[in-house]
Amino acid sequence: MLSQDVSIPVDGSQMPAYIAGPDEKSGPHPAVIVLQEVFGVTPEVKRVTDLLANIGYVGAAINYYHRTNPQLNEPYTEEGNRNAFAAAATVTAQQLARDVVAAADWLNAQPFVKSGKIATWGFGFGATAAFVTSSLRELSGAVCFYPGNIANPMPSGGEPPIEHVRDVAIPLLLVFGEKDYYVSRFEMDRIHEALTDAGKEFRMQIYPGVGHSFFRYGRPEAIAEVQEYSDEAVAQAVADSWNLVRVFLSDVFSRSPSRAAETGDIRTENTQSVPR
């Protein structure tokens, strides 16, 4: 299996990235840009990147803190949470767009990547990053696991990203835990309504009995408050959401890369609504 650390040029500097994928001799494969949790490129982020490699994709975990906090790797504690969000406050939507474009350009130039077949998968603040970069037609789709700053401003300020929903140019998969302490059900419904009203292609899945970061390896522990989730509920949410990701990626990578640009409409009969 391909596994290496690389540097990707962007904004006159180098952005570190962890690359994992099938054996290079197996030919080119679609790629997924992994957008880290707020805590940095942690072992958990690399685990997800390896998961993608194990199912036949090239995973690329990019470090969007490369301008100000390139070594950030905070623990899942209250102090780590404070430090991580302080770092996130230095990251703007415009910077994220440039980072994702640079990563897509780099991936498209690699012989082990199927050019034009690139998606994103983000977690927490990284899921917000996946949403705010969903206007990029260089991408095939975006997966957003429990994004906390779509209906609210990003840590760096400005309008909530949902105010720019009409800029979304690719299919979206949004996944939440019903008991998420960062994202209220009101915010989830607002996101769903805005995407529906804008005629965007998306699926939103909300899992009962679990909260924020349920996909994280091991039994999830809430930050800044105590929450208990049953092992069964977490296991079911992890298994089902992983299946959704695989189906979504297979779907978007099977489409013509020019389809959305040609039609200007990515809403299809397969658009699905949030469960009530």
Side-chain angles (χ1 to χ4, degrees):
M1 187 178 83
L2 171 68
S3 178
Q4 63 185 42
D5 295 315
V6 302
S7 293
I8 298 173
V10 56
D11 285 354
S13 63
Q14 297 295 314
M15 176 173 63
Y18 170 69
I19 307 296
D23 189 285
E24 293 184 63
K25 296 179 182 178
S26 63
H29 301 269
V32 180
I33 299 170
V34 179
L35 297 164
Q36 68 210 38
E37 297 176 287
V38 73
F39 302 95
V41 182
T42 62
E44 170 64 11
V45 175
K46 292 185 176 182
R47 180 188 75 89
V48 171
T49 309
D50 290 340
L51 277 178
L52 290 164
N54 289 334
I55 61 169
Y57 298 122
V58 175
I62 64 173
N63 186 344
Y64 54 66
Y65 288 133
H66 64 95
R67 296 173 181 83
T68 56
N69 297 273
Q71 304 304 317
L72 188 79
N73 193 324
E74 292 290 333
Y76 302 129
T77 62
E78 290 189 40
E79 181 180 4
N81 196 48
R82 288 193 298 270
N83 294 338
F85 273 98
T90 69
V91 179
T92 68
Q94 293 76 19
Q95 290 170 339
L96 290 168
R98 293 197 295 272
D99 289 347
V100 170
V101 168
D105 288 346
W106 186 90
L107 287 165
N108 281 327
Q110 306 309 309
F112 51 83
V113 172
K114 188 172 290 186
S115 182
K117 300 293 183 179
I118 299 174
T120 57
W121 185 7
F123 298 82
F125 181 62
T128 299
F131 184 87
V132 301
T133 57
S134 64
S135 62
L136 300 173
R137 295 189 181 274
E138 290 89 344
L139 302 175
S140 300
V143 180
C144 309
F145 269 42
Y146 28 85
N149 298 96
I150 292 180
N152 294 309
M154 291 173 56
S156 57
E159 290 184 316
I162 199 65
E163 298 298 328
H164 303 281
V165 66
R166 295 198 176 276
D167 294 336
V168 172
I170 54 177
L172 300 175
L173 172 62
L174 301 104
V175 175
F176 296 95
E178 181 186 33
K179 297 183 181 297
D180 196 312
Y181 50 90
Y182 281 128
V183 191
S184 69
R185 183 54 189 260
F186 172 80
E187 292 165 341
M188 297 177 201
D189 288 345
R190 184 183 172 201
I191 294 167
H192 182 273
E193 181 180 3
L195 287 165
T196 301
D197 289 347
K200 302 305 179 180
E201 182 184 354
F202 73 100
R203 173 166 183 169
M204 181 184 289
Q205 184 70 37
I206 301 175
Y207 291 102
V210 298
H212 198 71
S213 299
F214 69 80
F215 198 80
R216 190 182 294 158
Y217 180 73
R219 186 178 176 87
E221 295 181 358
I223 296 169
E225 65 179 79
V226 177
Q227 292 187 354
E228 294 292 337
Y229 314 125
S230 74
D231 290 337
E232 181 180 2
V234 172
Q236 288 178 349
V238 168
D240 189 74
S241 62
W242 177 227
N243 184 60
L244 284 181
V245 169
R246 286 181 289 182
V247 171
F248 177 82
L249 292 176
S250 177
D251 176 23
V252 297
F253 286 142
S254 69
R255 304 182 188 192
S256 166
S258 62
R259 174 174 172 268
E262 289 172 351
T263 65
D265 181 6
I266 59 173
R267 184 175 176 83
T268 74
E269 63 183 3
N270 296 319
T271 300
Q272 298 188 47
S273 297
V274 59
R276 296 290 181 180

